[in-house]
Amino acid sequence: MDNAEFVKKKSIEVYFRKYFGVLLLIFLTIIFWLIFKIISPNNFGTPGRLLSYLQSSLIYAVGGCGLYFIVAMGLWDFSIGANLVLSSILACYFSQQYGYLGLILVPIVSGTLIGLLNGIVYINFHIPSMIVTVGLSLIYESLSVFATHGQEQILGPNYRAFGMYPYNVILAVCAFIFVSLVIKYTKMGTYMYAIGSNEYLAKNMGVDVNKFKVLSFVICGFLVGIMSILNISYGTSMTAASGMSSMSMNFTPLMGTFFGMSFRKYGTPVIAIIIGEFIISLIFNGFVAIGAPTTIQKVVTGIALLLIVTITTKPVRGIVVK
């Protein structure tokens, strides 16, 4: 084999490897669509319904992208459900006062500040991120109850553009582009993987680990703020959470995050999160279409989460869970 043929072969291998992950996800999407389409041909998988599935999956994909910065560092954030509830409630309230300015700006600021608070508490109190964010989520839930006095908040009909096409897609794509640029072209993206791979080595190399951990929480909160805009515009109402009822809202975006973690070796974590959330939406709606009880969604969520974590986690002897 001469040099030209060798270079050509390597180029094909690199090209194939780059897009293998995306092709695999598309293949899985088609498989799941076919399974439920065959079982329930009239109630599942029509073009109109697929667009509906995509709407909800875009919302979770934005949150999943935010969680990606946390999970890639080996941390956890179980407060995004409470963050989502509180930011959505604030979006409703301030949209009545300031229109679209309040709807867009307030949840982003709220989500970002909550992310910053999560990061500061985690760094300064030296408590595992899982415990910090669960504890803080109770506070955020209480704030949502305090702000609404337990009353359901409804978004005005004049401010629901981000709950439908094409504005929801435009906003979501802006978030995806932002995440892709941060991961690929900034120190944050590079150090995120370095800290997640070996925190102590990264620290010895001069990386300000604490700074970038706080920044990861801030970026996560920022994206949850955008998720809140999409969520309240799509659902049009939000009720305050209490008793950790917001906890269930963490898991669907988290599953998308694990798709991103699994397929990051192909260099396409954001695309994997988007398609992964769409696959999850297909499965959920497939079970609804065949008449399965609504509780089956929680069962599927739990099983899928366990399977994905099992597949993506590489146990290391002596490792300390953060």
Side-chain angles (χ1 to χ4, degrees), residues 63-287:
C65 286
L67 271 174
Y68 184 79
F69 289 92
I70 302 291
V71 177
M73 286 193 180
L75 307 175
W76 298 94
D77 187 346
F78 284 107
S79 70
I80 69 166
N83 188 347
L84 178 66
V85 171
L86 181 57
S87 297
S88 298
I89 286 172
L90 293 175
C92 276
Y93 178 79
F94 282 95
S95 67
Q96 296 171 8
Q97 308 296 322
Y98 305 104
Y100 273 108
L101 182 63
L103 175 69
I104 297 171
L105 191 59
V106 171
I108 290 177
V109 172
S110 168
T112 305
L113 289 177
I114 287 174
L116 177 62
L117 179 61
N118 287 345
I120 290 174
V121 173
Y122 167 68
I123 293 299
N124 288 286
F125 285 76
H126 306 288
I127 303 172
S129 56
M130 184 184 296
I131 298 174
V132 167
T133 52
V134 169
L136 288 174
S137 69
L138 290 171
I139 297 175
Y140 305 146
E141 286 187 351
S142 300
L143 289 176
S144 71
V145 174
F146 176 77
T148 63
H149 302 288
Q151 300 295 316
E152 182 183 30
Q153 300 299 301
I154 300 174
L155 184 66
N158 295 329
Y159 306 114
R160 298 175 181 176
F162 291 110
M164 60 187 77
Y165 295 110
Y167 302 103
N168 55 350
V169 174
I170 292 172
L171 183 59
V173 168
C174 289
F176 298 144
I177 292 173
F178 166 75
V179 172
S180 300
L181 293 176
V182 171
I183 290 174
K184 192 168 184 178
Y185 296 109
T186 68
K187 287 183 179 179
M188 177 66 206
T190 303
Y191 293 162
M192 173 181 69
Y193 290 131
I195 294 170
S197 176
N198 191 323
E199 179 179 332
Y200 298 105
L201 180 60
K203 194 171 185 177
N204 290 332
M205 293 293 289
V207 177
D208 190 340
V209 173
N210 287 345
K211 171 186 170 183
F212 284 99
K213 282 185 174 179
V214 172
L215 190 55
S216 70
F217 278 103
V218 170
I219 294 175
C220 179
F222 171 77
L223 289 162
V224 173
I226 296 176
M227 180 186 179
S228 301
I229 300 170
L230 294 168
N231 183 67
I232 192 62
S233 300
Y234 181 66
T236 71
S237 67
M238 179 61 71
T239 304
S242 62
M244 299 186 73
S245 60
S246 65
M247 198 58 62
S248 61
M249 298 180 182
N250 295 321
F251 297 118
T252 306
L254 187 59
M255 286 192 289
T257 302
F258 282 118
F259 270 97
M261 293 297 295
S262 299
F263 285 81
R264 75 175 185 180
K265 59 187 175 184
Y266 302 112
T268 55
V270 175
I271 295 174
I273 292 171
I274 298 169
I275 300 178
E277 291 290 359
F278 186 66
I279 291 174
I280 294 165
S281 182
L282 277 180
I283 295 172
F284 285 170
N285 286 282
F287 277 107

Side-chain angles (χ1 to χ4, degrees), residues 31-47 49-50 53 282-292:
I31 291 296
F32 282 113
W33 177 81
L34 275 175
I35 291 172
F36 289 106
K37 188 65 177 174
I38 292 171
I39 298 173
S40 180
N42 298 322
N43 299 325
F44 177 82
T46 61
R49 291 179 189 275
L50 288 175
Y53 307 157
L282 277 180
I283 295 172
F284 285 170
N285 286 282
F287 277 107
V288 172
I290 62 177

